Amino acid sequence: MGCRDVHAATVLAFLSGTASVAGLLAAVLLPNWRQMRLYTFNKNERNVTVYSGLWIKCARFDGSRDCVIYDPQWYTAVDQLDLRVLQFTLPLSMFTAVSALFLCLIGMCNTAFVSTVPNIKLAKCLVNSAGCHLVAGLLFLLACAICLTPSVWVIFYNNYLNRKYEPIFSFDISVFIAIASAGGLFFTSVLLFLWYCACKSLPSPFWQPLYSHAPSMHSYASQPYSARSRLSAIEIDIPVVTHAS
């Protein structure tokens, strides 16, 4: 596998990273991180379920899809520590993953459209596509850690709330979406790392272009001094024969 080719691994990694970012965006926007179910013993009333998201809160009666109470200012008054942490970590994870996608796209475009023999004057300014993919893989792994840790903490914090108050709390679908998106980010980083390890050996440092100078220069390189010295010595030892008339 050569680093100068666009492979299915890099394309699949880019698609997987895009799907993971879309999943994170859905998890951030959906008001389904935690449910608080309120029961009533009055037969003339219905039970109420309160859905808490990162930015809004919605209360619904059982069997209804309309919000009886809709609080769009919930993000300013979040009183649950895990949701407050997620308000900062999930957007940070999305920003890191988008940066990784941008680097991955630069690497693929550089591989697909840049000539294999670069201009020697611009060689030091070129982008190494393999280096882009390596840094993108590290950023995807970082985004996975930033997203996964607080998302899993929601599950344990939910159990803490049930023990502290009453067993009326339960985590909702956004938790599973965030964890699945974190898994997608991890899968993307693994794909990029595997692709990088399967590449040919790269010059050091890895962010330098694959060609430090034009390949044609190698064919016109002069012979080492030692070889020229030996050749000169042989030529000097050859006797010159002249015929007298």
Side-chain angles (χ1 to χ4, degrees):
M1 180 183 293
C3 293
R4 300 182 184 92
D5 302 324
V6 177
H7 295 278
T10 56
V11 176
L12 180 60
F14 181 80
L15 295 178
S16 175
T18 304
S20 300
V21 171
L24 282 179
L25 181 61
V28 168
L29 297 179
L30 286 176
N32 298 98
W33 279 93
R34 173 167 292 120
Q35 293 184 12
M36 182 173 61
R37 189 164 178 80
L38 305 177
Y39 297 94
T40 178
F41 298 99
N42 190 344
K43 296 182 179 180
N44 297 324
E45 296 181 357
R46 290 182 294 177
N47 297 330
V48 177
T49 303
V50 179
Y51 298 88
S52 300
L54 302 183
W55 317 107
I56 60 175
K57 177 185 283 189
C58 174
R60 299 174 183 172
F61 288 118
D62 286 356
S64 176
R65 295 185 177 180
D66 297 328
C67 294
V68 180
I69 301 176
Y70 181 81
D71 185 9
Q73 302 297 324
W74 164 246
Y75 66 94
T76 62
V78 175
D79 57 352
Q80 300 168 15
L81 183 58
D82 55 344
L83 299 184
R84 178 66 76 182
V85 171
L86 284 167
Q87 286 181 338
F88 295 95
T89 55
L90 286 190
L92 179 60
S93 177
M94 288 179 56
F95 175 77
T96 307
V98 169
S99 302
L101 281 177
F102 183 69
L103 273 178
C104 189
L105 185 61
I106 289 178
M108 288 192 297
C109 291
N110 180 74
T111 302
F113 300 110
V114 176
S115 174
T116 56
V117 182
N119 187 351
I120 187 173
K121 296 180 180 179
L122 301 177
K124 294 299 182 181
C125 301
L126 293 179
V127 176
N128 184 359
S129 60
C132 287
H133 290 311
L134 177 63
V135 177
L138 293 174
L139 290 178
F140 276 125
L141 190 62
L142 177 62
C144 170
I146 296 174
C147 170
L148 183 62
T149 304
S151 299
V152 174
W153 183 38
V154 172
I155 301 175
F156 296 98
Y157 196 82
N158 189 80
N159 296 332
Y160 164 75
L161 292 177
N162 286 329
R163 291 193 304 268
K164 184 176 181 180
Y165 300 103
E166 295 181 9
I168 57 177
F169 298 95
S170 61
F171 49 89
D172 209 347
I173 189 173
S174 293
V175 178
F176 301 104
I177 295 177
I179 294 177
S181 300
L185 294 174
F186 180 76
F187 174 73
T188 303
S189 66
V190 169
L191 273 179
L192 292 176
F193 290 152
L194 290 177
W195 178 85
Y196 182 82
C197 292
C199 284
K200 296 178 181 179
S201 59
L202 298 177
S204 180
F206 64 84
W207 59 81
Q208 290 293 331
L210 293 176
Y211 284 112
S212 58
H213 44 75
S216 59
M217 296 183 62
H218 295 284
S219 59
Y220 296 99
S222 59
Q223 296 180 357
Y225 177 76
S226 58
R228 294 200 307 270
S229 300
R230 290 194 299 269
L231 181 60
S232 301
I234 294 174
E235 291 177 351
I236 293 173
D237 293 338
I238 296 176
V240 178
V241 180
T242 58
H243 298 278
S245 55

